[in-house]
Amino acid sequence: MDIKIDTDHVRAKAEAHRVIKRKATLKKVLSYTAFVGPALLFFLVIQILPFFMGIYYSFTSWNGVSSSVEWVGLENYIKIFTSDQKFMDSFLFTTKFMFAAVIISNVIGFSLALLLNAALKTKNILRTVYFIPNVIGGLLLGFIWQFIFVKGFASIGSLTNIPFFKLAWLGDETTAFWGIVIVFAWQISGYMMVIYIAALQGVDTSLLEAAKIDGANSWTMLKSIIIPLILPAFTICFFLTISMAFKIFDLNLSLTGGGPFNSTQSVAINIYQEAFQNNRYGLGTAKSILFFLVVAIFTTIQVLATKKREVEA
């Protein structure tokens, strides 16, 4: 009899423990759902669903307005690679722009970070000043610099006769290209500077002091100690600048509009014009899918390469 009572007691206790455990699990699931659920829902509705719809529309000849959608298979993709020279030119421009903008933006951002990480009395003010261009909208920034290039530089050139200021900055293919690079680098370098400063502040100063005692100069410490220690920051900054440079739209639109003669037309502007001005939504979507794949490949290769350097360092 005692044994039966003990057995029933153990079973009841085990059952109560299971009930408590189920309630705790349910509470945890509900709390996770309450916090993550809305964000996940918005992500699915705003990002994932339109992405797969875009893949579908890239195989159609939909004009973006009518209710009828005609399936054309790979016709849009074949047209892009065989007869759309304007898209290829815009892709070539965007690729050249990406390489130039990434290098210049990161060099300026890292240089500013090294300068403002030193013990300067005005470093906090200067950090704010250099970061301000990043908070200005691309369209507004483009129109401001358009005025500077067209009116400001022309006025300075007429007063000083300096050839640099007398160039047709937005009216020539070469100078227009470098004009967009200059404005992009001016806008984004402050953002990169903040990331590099955060990384530099995490460097152990005792290592630098030990290197100084051993006779290392500033260049040696930068090359052999500082840069290897902050390689994760380079990974982040390269990733951000590559993706931003590839996706340039508003700055390009407000500065040159893709001119002169479409010589500075980015891929994003080409896709926009194809889909919303020429009403060839299916073809524009096919271009955007190809563009997505190219950006994904570039950024993946960059992240893998810099991550490998982090491990080796």
Side-chain angles (χ1 to χ4, degrees):
M1 191 69 170
D2 294 338
I3 295 174
K4 185 178 179 181
I5 292 172
D6 291 340
T7 304
D8 292 341
H9 178 71
V10 170
R11 287 177 179 173
K13 193 173 182 180
E15 182 64 26
H17 179 71
R18 283 194 292 270
V19 171
I20 293 172
K21 191 175 181 180
R22 281 198 297 269
K23 288 183 178 180
T25 304
L26 180 61
K27 185 178 180 182
K28 186 182 291 186
V29 170
L30 290 175
S31 63
Y32 284 163
T33 304
F35 283 105
V36 180
L40 182 61
L41 178 63
F42 279 109
F43 179 73
L44 290 173
V45 173
I46 297 173
Q47 295 287 340
I48 302 300
L49 183 60
F51 177 75
F52 284 105
M53 289 177 64
I55 294 176
Y56 166 72
Y57 285 126
S58 70
F59 295 102
T60 69
S61 61
W62 187 42
N63 61 8
V65 179
S66 66
S67 57
S68 61
V69 180
E70 182 183 354
W71 182 268
V72 295
L74 295 173
E75 183 179 320
N76 289 328
Y77 293 95
I78 294 171
K79 184 177 180 179
I80 291 170
F81 287 107
T82 56
S83 60
D84 199 334
Q85 186 59 42
K86 187 181 290 187
F87 177 74
M88 295 301 171
D89 292 339
S90 66
F91 183 79
L92 179 62
F93 163 79
T94 306
T95 304
K96 292 192 297 184
F97 170 79
M98 183 271 296
F99 280 111
V102 167
I103 293 171
I104 294 173
S105 299
N106 281 280
V107 168
I108 295 175
F110 184 60
S111 301
L112 290 174
L114 288 174
L115 176 65
L116 299 182
N117 194 50
L120 297 175
K121 291 182 179 180
T122 58
K123 64 181 180 181
N124 291 329
I125 298 175
L126 291 174
R127 288 175 187 177
T128 304
V129 169
Y130 290 133
F131 185 77
I132 283 176
N134 187 69
V135 302
I136 303 174
L139 280 173
L140 179 60
L141 196 67
F143 286 126
I144 291 172
W145 273 91
Q146 185 186 66
F147 176 81
I148 293 172
F149 281 131
V150 175
K151 301 293 185 181
F153 279 17
S155 299
I156 296 172
S158 62
L159 290 173
T160 61
N161 288 324
I162 299 175
F164 176 83
F165 294 106
K166 300 178 76 172
L167 295 172
W169 274 96
L170 301 182
D172 179 74
E173 178 179 348
T174 303
T175 53
F177 170 82
W178 287 110
I180 299 172
V181 171
I182 289 169
V183 179
F184 179 87
W186 183 78
Q187 180 188 27
I188 210 68
S189 295
Y191 187 28
M192 300 303 108
M193 174 198 71
V194 172
I195 298 174
Y196 285 126
I197 287 176
L200 289 171
Q201 289 179 345
V203 175
D204 190 353
T205 55
S206 62
L207 294 174
L208 302 178
E209 292 171 359
K212 283 182 181 179
I213 293 172
D214 290 338
N217 56 30
S218 299
W219 170 248
T220 303
M221 288 191 293
L222 177 65
K223 181 181 67 173
S224 303
I225 299 175
I226 296 175
I227 290 179
L229 288 176
I230 65 168
L231 279 178
F234 281 97
T235 301
I236 296 170
C237 289
F238 283 147
F239 175 82
L240 291 174
T241 47
I242 287 173
S243 60
M244 282 188 252
F246 261 125
K247 295 183 295 182
I248 184 173
F249 175 78
D250 49 0
L251 197 64
N252 188 196
L253 183 67
S254 57
L255 263 178
T256 64
F261 307 108
N262 294 322
S263 60
T264 62
Q265 185 184 78
S266 66
V267 175
I269 290 182
N270 182 272
I271 293 171
Y272 169 79
Q273 291 179 346
E274 195 70 73
F276 300 107
Q277 292 184 359
N278 300 335
N279 290 328
R280 291 195 286 261
Y281 195 90
L283 182 59
T285 308
K287 291 181 178 182
S288 67
I289 296 298
L290 290 174
F291 185 44
F292 165 77
L293 293 174
V294 170
V295 175
I297 290 170
F298 265 89
T299 52
T300 301
I301 292 172
Q302 173 264 314
V303 169
L304 291 176
T306 50
K307 282 287 184 183
K308 184 179 178 182
R309 293 294 301 273
E310 288 178 30
V311 174
E312 290 176 354

